[in-house]
Amino acid sequence: MADCRGEKRKRDSGSVQLGAYRDQRYKGSRQQQEDLLLHSTTLYVGNLSFFTTEEQIHELFTRAGDVKRIIMGLDKFKKTPCGFCFVELRKFPRSVLIASDPSFYNLNSVVRYYTREDAENAMRYANGTRLDDRVVRTDWDVGFKEGRQYGRGKSGGQVRDEYRTDYDSGRGGYGKIIQQKIPAAAH
Amino acid sequence: MSRRKTYEDSSDEEEGRSRKRRRGSESVDIEDRLESLITRVGEKSTSSLESNLEGLASVLESDLPNYKQKIMRILCECVTTMPEKLTVYTTLVGLLNAKNYNAGGEFVELLVRNLKEVLKTSEFDSALVMVRFLADLINCHVIVAASLIMMFDSFLEVTLEDNIPQVRSDWYVYAVLSSMPWVGKELAEKKDAELEKLLTTIEHYIQKRQKIHVQTLRVWTSDDPHPQEEYLDCLWAQIKNLRANQWEEHQILRPYLAFNVVLCDALQHTLPRIIPPSHHDEATYPLPTVVFRMFDYTDVPEGVGIIPGSQAIERYLLEEHISRIIESYHLERKDCAAYLLSFPLKCKVPLNYMIVEVLFSQLFRLPRPPYIDLFYGSLLVELCKLQPSSMPQVVAQATEMLYDRLDTMNTSCIERFVQWFAYHLSNFQFRWTWDEWSDCTQQDLLGPKAKFVQEVLLKCMRLSYHQRMVEIVPADFKALLPRKPVPSFKYEKEGSGSLPGTIVVHQLMQAIKSKCTPEEAFSIIKDVPNPLKEKEGMDPGYNPLRIEVFVQTLLYIGSKSFSHSFAAISKFNNVLKALAETQDGQICLLKSLYELHKDHQQLIVVLIDKLLKTQIVECSAVANWIFSDEMMQDFTSDEEDYDNVKRIWQRFEVAYKEATDFYVWEIMHSTVKKMNKQVQKLQKEVDEARDRREAAHRRTRDGLDLDDEPEDVPTEEMIERMEDRLEAAQSEQKNLFLIIFQRFIIILTDHLAKCESDDSDYNTHWYKWVIERLQQVFLLHHEQVYRYINTLETLMFTSDIDIHILEVFQQFCALRS
C-alpha cells in the first residue's frame, strides 16, 4: 500500500528514536546493544523524586499501555528508592503475510516480529511530562537484569546525585559530594 | 519541531546512514532529496508558497525521465499521509500536468488504482482524502469535470442498493458531500444541472435515513445550549448553506488560483469509471458520529475573532483541517502542538477554541476515541506550554463548561473527562479553583457533579498521595475525599480474637514472614473447617473460611507495594489455584481481596489483573463477582416482610453505591479486554498457520519445493488443535458477554419494577450510572459484541424485557444497520 512507507518514516523518527546515552556496563558489542534497544519494551525512567512510589509510576504508565512490571531503582546501601526505575511494557507478537509482494512470492511468506506499541506510546506521551511535580525522562533500555536496580554512585545512589550542585528536595537535597564537603548543607 | 528537522534527524540515525552506504549510489541520494523536497513543500519557508511550488514543479519535470515511478509514488503517499496540505499537492500535480501531460495522466491513473484498492479493503479514511483530492484536481485542470460527476453518480447509486447496511450508503454520500467545499463552485459553473441532480439525490437520501443510533453516540443527552447534530445531517445543512452562498467559502487556501493562466492551458484527463465494490459481509464501514459542539461565538472574548456558526461550512472545514493535522502528527505530540498553533488561517478565527473543541470532541468520541487518552492529555499540556498566555485559560474555560454540563453527559464521557482532568491537574501541581465548584458539595453523593469530583480526587490520588488531596481541596469538600488507601485487616482489629480463623491467621503470618514454602503454608490452613459443610452437609467445592484466611493474610503481608503483592501471589500461585478451583471459590477469593483492600481501588484493579494473567481466576468469575450481591445488591428478596424490605432498602442505598464507582467498571472492561485479546491471539495463530500451510502447498504445486515439508509448516492436526483452542476461547468469550448482559438485565429490571410498584421515578442517579454502563459494554467492545448479536437478540434482549433496557440494545444494533 502506498502509505506503508509514510508510516515507517513516522515510526522511526522523533520521540521513539534511541537517545544518545548508552549503558557503559553493557556486556556485548555496541551493535548487539543497539539491536536490543531497538526491539526493547523496557524503559528506563529517570528524574523521579525519591518519594515517588511504584503505585504512582504504574498509574502514569498504565495510561500508555499494559505495564508488566516495575523495578524501582534503589540506593545500593540503604535499599531505599533513589530516583529511577525500569518499566516493562507488553510486547505484541505480529506476523505479516507479504505474499502479495512479488519479490517474496515463493519464499517463506510470513515475517514474524514484535511491535512495541505500548512502550512507544510511553516514550511518545509520558516522556517529558510531570509525575509528582517533576518532569520525568524516559529512555529505551535493553531490559532488566538483577543488579541493575542499584544506584551506581559511590555513595549508593545514582551517579548524577554524586556530582549535583543544586539543591533538590525531592532527591535528598544537595549532591553527595557537596554534602560531604559542607556538612551543614545536608540539612 | 518541524517535519524537516525530524526528517534530517532520522536520516542521521545509524540505520539511515548504513542504508545509504549499502546502496551507496548517487541515485539514492537524489531519490531521498526528491522525497524530502516533495514532503516539505508547503511548510513555513522564507520564500512564497507559489515560488516554491513553481520551483519544485520544474525540478520534478527535469527528474521525470529518470525517476518517474519514484516521483509518482511519493506524490501518491502525500495524498494520504499529509491530507492537511491537500491543495498544495493538487496544485503541484496541476503544474506538473501542465508541463508534462503524460505524467499528469500517470498520476491520476495511480491514484485511481489506489482508490479502488482502499475501497476494496475498507480503508475508508484513506479513500475519503483520495476522493477529495481527485475532486480538487478539477480546480487544477487535471481532470475533466464531467468524469468527476460520473464518479459521484456511481457513488450515489449505492443509495439505491437493496439489503445493504445504512453505514455503507452513508459513507458514499459523505464522500461526495465532503468534497463539495473544494469543488462545488467549479461544478456549479461548469455542470450546474448535473450538480443539482446530485444534490437532489442526496437530499432524498438524507430524508429517508434512520437515526436510531444517535442516542447512543451523543456526549450530552441535551441540545441545550448547543444542538448536537448527526454528522451527515450537519454536513448536509452546511452544504446547503454553502450553496446558498454561491459556493463561496472562506477557509480553504487555494494556491492554484495564482497559477490560473498556466493551468488553464493544460489538457485534462478523463477519470476512468470508478464503481464502488459491492457489499460483502467482511466490509466494515465507518460508524456514524454525532458532531460535538461545546463553544459558540458568545464564549470567545472580543478581538480574537469569531467562531463560525454550527451550520457554516467554515466550521466543518476548520474542524476537518485540525483533525487532519492531529492525524498526521499524532505520533509526535510536540510537532502536533506546534503545527496546530501555526495553522494558516484565511480569516480571523479563535484558533485556540477550535483546537480545544476538536480535541475534546475526539477524546469524548463514542464508541472510542481515535487515539489513547494519554495522547490528548499530553498534547493539551504541550499546547499550554507553547502558548502560556492564552491556552491555559481556554482549557480552563472548557473544563468549567464541561463541569457545568455534567448532568446530561454520558457516563463513558464523564469517565474520560475524569481520567483526563486528573492527569492534567497532576501536570499543573493540582492547582484548581475548587471553590467555584462548591455546588458539588450540596449534591447527593451520587449526583453527577459530586461523583465527578470524587472520582477526580481518586484518580489524582493515584498519581499523587492521600495527604496531598486533603491539602488541595477546600474544607467543605471533605465528604468527597477518598479514604486513605490502607488495608483493612480484620484479624488484627479489636475483637478479632472471637473470629473463627484468627489463630490460623497468626500462625500463617508467622510462617510466611519466616519464608515458608507453599506446601508448609498449605499444611497450616489444611484443617480450617468449612462453614458451608456444616450447614448443608455436602461438599460445596470450596472452603470460604480457608480462602479468606489465606488470601487476606498473604495480601496483607504483601500490601507494602505492588511488587510485594505480586511476589506474594507468584510464590503462592499453586496454593491460590488449589483453594479456588471452582468458580464459587474464585468469587470467594475476589471477595476476600476486596474486603481487605476496599479502600485501595488501584490495588484491587492491579491485583485482579494479576490474578487473571496468572489464571488463578477466570474472566467469568470476575464478572460474576462484580454483579454479586455485595457489589450490586441484587434486589430479589421476599418483600412480604416489611421490616426485611426496609432493612434491604437501607442496604440497597449503601451497597448500590459500589455499582456507580468507576473502578468497578475499570475492572470489568479490562477483564473483557483480556478475554478479547486472548481470542484475537488464538485467531491470529490459526490464520497464520493456515496461511503458512497454503504457501507451502503453493510452493509444492509450483514444483519449487520438492523436499519433504519444511519444519515450520504446520500440519493439518496442528491446525485442528489450534482451532479447537480458538473455539473454546470463543465460547468462553460469548459466555462472558452473556453473564454480563444477563446480570445487567436483572439489576435494571429489578430497579424498574421496584420503582413502578412504589410509584416513584425510576430515573435516579443510580439508574443513569448503571444503564449507561450497560451501553458502555456495547460500545467499548462493539466489534466483539457484534459477533454475538443474534444470540443476544434471541436469548436476552427479547421483547418481554423492559423497553428502557431493550432500547439500549436496539440503538447499538442501529449503529451498523
Side-chain angles (χ1 to χ4, degrees):
Chain A
M1 241 315 293
D3 47 20
C4 283
R5 256 192 71 92
E7 275 300 309
K8 184 177 176 340
R9 187 171 60 227
K10 283 180 202 164
R11 222 185 354 251
D12 292 347
S13 69
S15 49
V16 295
Q17 271 183 58
L18 302 188
Y21 173 84
R22 295 289 178 271
D23 181 7
Q24 298 304 318
R25 296 200 195 170
Y26 175 77
K27 306 254 186 307
S29 72
R30 188 47 70 94
Q31 190 56 48
Q32 283 170 331
Q33 188 180 19
E34 261 164 41
D35 281 349
L36 278 176
L37 288 173
L38 284 167
H39 297 98
S40 165
T41 52
T42 302
L43 302 179
Y44 164 90
V45 182
N47 196 34
L48 297 170
S49 151
F50 292 178
F51 306 107
T52 300
T53 62
E54 185 187 347
E55 281 78 349
Q56 288 168 277
I57 298 162
H58 192 281
E59 180 63 17
L60 176 63
F61 284 89
T62 205
R63 289 166 181 243
D66 198 351
V67 175
K68 260 171 68 184
R69 182 162 70 142
I70 293 171
I71 301 116
M72 296 297 285
L74 300 175
D75 184 293
K76 197 163 37 185
F77 306 120
K78 290 188 280 185
K79 306 286 187 278
T80 53
C82 69
F84 76 96
C85 74
F86 298 102
V87 177
E88 288 177 7
L89 290 118
R90 193 168 44 119
K91 262 184 198 176
F92 298 83
R94 287 273 161 86
S95 305
V96 177
L97 187 75
I98 43 171
S100 57
D101 185 337
S103 61
F104 282 89
Y105 184 63
N106 291 332
L107 293 172
N108 193 359
S109 54
V110 177
V111 178
R112 281 163 180 283
Y113 63 96
Y114 282 95
T115 62
R116 44 177 187 173
E117 236 171 283
D118 288 3
E120 286 184 349
N121 280 340
M123 283 293 282
R124 285 187 183 114
Y125 309 130
N127 189 14
T129 67
R130 278 171 198 272
L131 181 62
D132 238 359
D133 297 340
R134 302 177 69 91
V135 175
V136 297
R137 195 174 60 79
T138 64
D139 203 351
W140 293 108
D141 187 85
V142 289
F144 175 73
K145 280 214 173 69
E146 182 55 34
R148 291 193 61 208
Q149 71 268 48
Y150 298 117
R152 290 168 178 178
K154 276 210 177 64
S155 324
Q158 285 197 280
V159 177
R160 56 171 287 202
D161 288 316
E162 295 284 311
Y163 302 102
R164 228 171 5 87
T165 55
D166 60 333
Y167 185 85
D168 186 340
S169 61
R171 295 181 70 100
Y174 286 109
K176 295 282 162 50
I177 291 176
I178 294 196
Q179 282 185 29
Q180 283 159 9
K181 280 187 188 151
I182 332 162
H187 306 291
Chain B
M1 63 121 250
S2 71
R3 183 177 285 266
R4 173 198 306 199
K5 182 153 170 284
T6 327
Y7 192 73
E8 281 168 2
D9 280 354
S10 69
S11 65
D12 278 351
E13 269 301 291
E14 197 57 32
E15 202 195 357
R17 247 183 289 147
S18 65
R19 193 187 58 208
K20 259 183 218 163
R21 265 202 305 275
R22 213 166 38 241
R23 287 195 271 160
S25 67
E26 196 187 330
S27 73
V28 172
D29 284 342
I30 295 180
E31 283 184 11
D32 283 354
R33 198 175 54 90
L34 279 174
E35 178 159 357
S36 132
L37 281 175
I38 298 175
T39 52
R40 277 160 42 192
V41 68
E43 284 182 6
K44 273 211 173 109
S45 132
T46 45
S47 40
S48 74
L49 174 61
E50 286 76 17
S51 74
N52 285 338
L53 277 170
E54 205 161 19
L56 180 56
S58 305
V59 169
L60 295 186
E61 188 197 9
S62 63
D63 280 330
L64 266 177
N66 295 322
Y67 301 101
K68 194 168 68 192
Q69 270 194 319
K70 176 82 185 173
I71 292 171
M72 294 298 153
R73 232 190 58 199
I74 300 170
L75 284 173
C76 269
E77 275 169 30
C78 291
V79 175
T80 45
T81 58
M82 282 178 270
E84 76 281 3
K85 293 199 286 181
L86 179 134
T87 54
V88 172
Y89 289 111
T90 51
T91 309
L92 182 63
V93 171
L95 292 172
L96 202 59
N97 182 56
K99 290 174 193 289
N100 185 330
Y101 176 74
N102 285 337
E106 269 181 62
F107 172 81
V108 172
E109 198 180 306
L110 186 59
L111 187 55
V112 168
R113 205 186 316 144
N114 284 349
L115 173 61
K116 286 179 175 169
E117 183 62 31
V118 291
L119 286 177
K120 218 182 287 166
T121 53
S122 299
E123 293 165 77
F124 290 105
D125 273 345
S126 299
L128 186 73
V129 288
M130 292 182 192
V131 170
R132 199 178 281 173
F133 198 97
L134 287 172
D136 199 42
L137 286 179
I138 303 278
N139 298 322
C140 306
H141 297 261
V142 178
I143 289 175
V144 180
S147 67
L148 183 73
I149 294 272
M150 277 192 36
M151 178 176 89
F152 284 169
D153 275 337
S154 66
F155 277 19
L156 293 185
E157 270 168 32
V158 172
T159 62
L160 305 173
E161 291 175 5
D162 288 327
N163 296 323
I164 55 151
Q166 182 174 295
V167 279
R168 169 176 164 85
S169 39
D170 276 359
W171 187 82
Y172 283 98
V173 169
Y174 182 76
V176 175
L177 268 185
S178 89
S179 302
M180 284 303 150
W182 280 266
V183 80
K185 193 167 183 219
E186 192 72 10
L187 290 182
E189 278 167 19
K190 290 188 174 151
K191 296 278 165 199
D192 192 29
E194 287 86 345
L195 176 63
E196 283 309 307
K197 208 178 127 241
L198 276 178
L199 294 173
T200 312
T201 310
I202 292 176
E203 180 156 37
H204 288 149
Y205 177 74
I206 299 279
Q207 282 162 357
K208 65 164 202 211
R209 288 174 73 228
Q210 65 85 5
K211 277 173 270 178
I212 304 168
H213 56 273
V214 172
Q215 275 326 97
T216 281
L217 299 175
R218 292 175 70 113
V219 174
W220 289 295
T221 48
S222 163
D223 274 330
D224 180 40
H226 306 302
Q228 309 294 307
E229 291 175 278
E230 209 270 346
Y231 82 118
L232 211 48
D233 283 352
C234 183
L235 181 59
W236 173 239
Q238 289 164 329
I239 295 294
K240 276 198 299 190
N241 283 332
L242 178 63
R243 178 171 58 173
N245 293 331
Q246 278 74 49
W247 301 101
E248 288 292 344
E249 53 72 39
H250 307 285
Q251 184 50 46
I252 302 173
L253 297 174
R254 299 182 189 261
Y256 38 79
L257 292 180
F259 300 103
N260 203 17
V261 181
V262 189
L263 295 176
C264 267
D265 287 342
L267 289 171
Q268 288 153 284
H269 304 269
T270 302
L271 277 178
R273 283 198 65 148
I274 301 167
I275 295 166
S278 41
H279 176 65
H280 56 95
D281 287 340
E282 258 101 272
T284 45
Y285 304 93
L287 295 181
T289 53
V290 169
V291 184
F292 173 87
R293 291 282 159 72
M294 69 183 292
F295 294 126
D296 72 7
Y297 67 98
T298 59
D299 298 315
V300 180
E302 269 177 53
V304 294
I306 289 171
I307 296 187
S310 62
Q311 294 197 336
I313 195 68
E314 284 76 15
R315 185 73 167 259
Y316 174 75
L317 293 171
L318 278 164
E319 287 165 354
E320 262 296 290
H321 200 123
I322 292 171
S323 307
R324 294 296 170 191
I325 294 176
I326 295 170
E327 189 189 331
S328 295
Y329 300 99
H330 72 274
L331 295 180
E332 300 298 330
R333 66 174 205 269
K334 292 188 177 183
D335 291 354
C336 193
Y339 277 105
L340 283 171
L341 293 174
S342 62
F343 169 165
L345 290 164
K346 268 168 99 178
C347 28
K348 207 172 175 191
V349 237
L351 185 60
N352 290 352
Y353 284 84
M354 290 302 306
I355 294 172
V356 168
E357 188 178 73
V358 171
L359 285 177
F360 279 117
S361 90
Q362 292 200 358
L363 179 64
F364 294 142
R365 180 164 312 158
L366 296 165
R368 287 190 299 254
Y371 309 108
I372 60 171
D373 53 34
L374 184 61
F375 162 68
Y376 298 101
S378 63
L379 179 60
L380 280 161
V381 170
E382 216 58 50
L383 288 163
C384 288
K385 272 201 252 172
L386 269 184
Q387 222 172 60
S389 61
S390 58
M391 203 45 130
Q393 285 89 313
V394 180
V395 175
Q397 189 183 345
T399 310
E400 299 282 355
M401 286 178 164
L402 293 171
Y403 173 82
D404 283 337
R405 296 171 198 173
L406 277 169
D407 285 354
T408 60
M409 199 180 206
N410 182 300
T411 299
S412 295
C413 302
I414 297 182
E415 187 175 76
R416 294 181 208 167
F417 182 23
V418 167
Q419 179 86 346
W420 163 75
F421 188 51
Y423 172 84
H424 192 73
L425 286 178
S426 92
N427 270 278
F428 294 95
Q429 290 96 46
F430 299 101
R431 282 193 303 248
W432 188 250
T433 48
W434 298 98
D435 286 329
E436 286 174 20
W437 284 1
S438 57
D439 61 335
C440 70
T441 61
Q442 310 300 317
Q443 254 186 2
D444 180 320
L445 281 179
L446 287 192
K449 287 180 175 171
K451 191 77 200 165
F452 171 77
V453 171
Q454 291 170 66
E455 292 289 339
V456 166
L457 293 174
L458 276 162
K459 282 278 176 181
C460 285
M461 182 174 72
R462 290 195 193 182
L463 289 163
S464 179
Y465 48 94
H466 185 260
Q467 186 53 33
R468 187 85 187 267
M469 297 304 109
V470 177
E471 286 158 14
I472 61 167
V473 292
D476 56 338
F477 279 61
K478 199 168 168 251
L480 305 176
L481 277 169
R483 286 189 297 268
K484 204 167 184 208
V486 289
S488 139
F489 189 50
K490 64 180 173 194
Y491 294 105
E492 276 194 347
K493 283 185 180 159
E494 219 175 299
S496 64
S498 61
L499 291 174
T502 302
I503 299 169
V504 186
V505 164
H506 288 290
Q507 283 175 343
L508 188 61
M509 237 152 91
Q510 212 56 49
I512 294 176
K513 280 182 178 166
S514 46
K515 308 213 182 313
C516 69
T517 64
E519 291 73 26
E520 283 162 354
F522 194 77
S523 73
I524 294 174
I525 53 168
K526 196 171 75 252
D527 296 327
V528 172
N530 190 341
L532 294 179
K533 238 178 198 163
E534 280 167 26
K535 269 190 229 156
E536 295 170 21
M538 46 193 255
D539 188 10
Y542 72 108
N543 179 339
L545 184 60
R546 197 193 283 165
I547 292 176
E548 187 183 282
V549 161
F550 187 76
V551 170
Q552 294 205 351
T553 308
L554 183 68
L555 293 180
Y556 179 62
I557 295 173
S559 62
K560 202 177 152 197
S561 76
F562 288 180
S563 286
H564 287 84
S565 297
F566 293 167
I569 290 176
S570 79
K571 179 171 177 186
F572 294 96
N573 187 309
N574 287 337
V575 181
L576 290 165
K577 273 189 180 151
L579 288 174
E581 275 178 327
T582 61
Q583 169 111 177
D584 286 340
Q586 294 172 15
I587 295 173
C588 175
L589 189 157
L590 293 165
K591 279 179 188 167
S592 306
L593 183 169
Y594 167 75
E595 197 185 47
L596 177 71
H597 284 312
K598 58 175 173 291
D599 291 338
H600 198 338
Q601 300 181 348
Q602 187 195 10
L603 186 54
I604 300 181
V605 174
V606 298
L607 285 179
I608 292 181
D609 184 79
K610 199 69 182 175
L611 292 172
L612 283 167
K613 277 180 184 158
T614 48
Q615 293 175 333
I616 293 168
V617 301
E618 292 158 18
C619 294
S620 53
V622 176
N624 275 319
W625 165 70
I626 286 180
F627 285 100
S628 64
D629 291 3
E630 285 81 353
M631 302 298 284
M632 291 290 151
Q633 193 57 30
D634 199 345
F635 193 69
T636 47
S637 302
D638 182 10
E639 291 182 32
E640 298 288 294
D641 178 353
Y642 178 73
D643 282 340
N644 192 27
V645 172
K646 217 170 97 185
R647 189 176 55 77
I648 291 166
W649 258 111
Q650 282 159 354
R651 272 178 62 207
F652 183 83
E653 293 295 329
V654 184
Y656 256 26
K657 187 188 159 293
E658 219 64 54
T660 66
D661 280 353
F662 286 18
Y663 84 99
V664 172
W665 303 102
E666 185 182 346
I667 295 170
M668 172 72 82
H669 291 300
S670 103
T671 305
V672 174
K673 267 185 217 152
K674 216 154 262 124
M675 184 74 247
N676 294 346
K677 262 180 207 147
Q678 173 71 8
V679 171
Q680 251 167 24
K681 200 183 118 212
L682 294 171
Q683 179 77 57
K684 200 175 268 168
E685 270 176 26
V686 170
D687 291 347
E688 266 172 41
R690 281 209 199 106
D691 286 342
R692 291 226 301 278
R693 192 157 174 79
E694 222 165 86
H697 276 308
R698 205 165 45 221
R699 285 198 297 273
T700 322
R701 215 173 35 233
D702 295 352
L704 283 158
D705 206 4
L706 299 170
D707 305 339
D708 291 335
E709 291 198 346
E711 277 169 42
D712 63 337
V713 175
T715 62
E716 217 36 77
E717 295 80 62
M718 280 161 79
I719 295 183
E720 264 166 39
R721 271 202 303 278
M722 288 178 184
E723 283 171 340
D724 288 347
R725 276 207 302 274
L726 172 64
E727 222 168 275
Q730 277 169 336
S731 86
E732 204 184 319
Q733 182 187 41
K734 184 171 168 182
N735 186 38
L736 179 63
F737 281 122
L738 291 179
I739 291 171
I740 294 171
F741 289 126
Q742 186 196 34
R743 295 308 208 105
F744 262 116
I745 293 174
I746 291 173
I747 59 167
L748 286 164
T749 306
D750 283 346
H751 170 84
L752 292 165
K754 177 90 196 90
C755 293
E756 201 182 314
S757 69
D758 284 1
D759 204 18
S760 60
D761 183 12
Y762 70 90
N763 201 3
T764 61
H765 292 312
W766 181 89
Y767 174 75
K768 181 185 180 288
W769 290 119
V770 175
I771 194 139
E772 288 180 1
R773 290 295 181 178
L774 168 62
Q775 198 183 51
Q776 188 183 36
V777 175
F778 279 115
L779 287 181
L780 218 46
H781 314 288
H782 65 92
E783 295 93 341
Q784 289 80 18
V785 178
Y786 201 77
R787 269 196 245 144
Y788 306 118
I789 200 156
N790 291 330
T791 314
L792 291 175
E793 190 168 12
T794 49
L795 233 65
M796 305 220 146
F797 294 93
T798 53
S799 54
D800 42 304
I801 67 165
D802 194 286
I803 183 67
H804 297 91
I805 307 170
L806 190 58
E807 255 174 10
V808 176
F809 177 69
Q810 287 168 340
Q811 286 161 8
F812 168 72
C813 296
L815 269 186
R816 298 197 191 203
S817 63

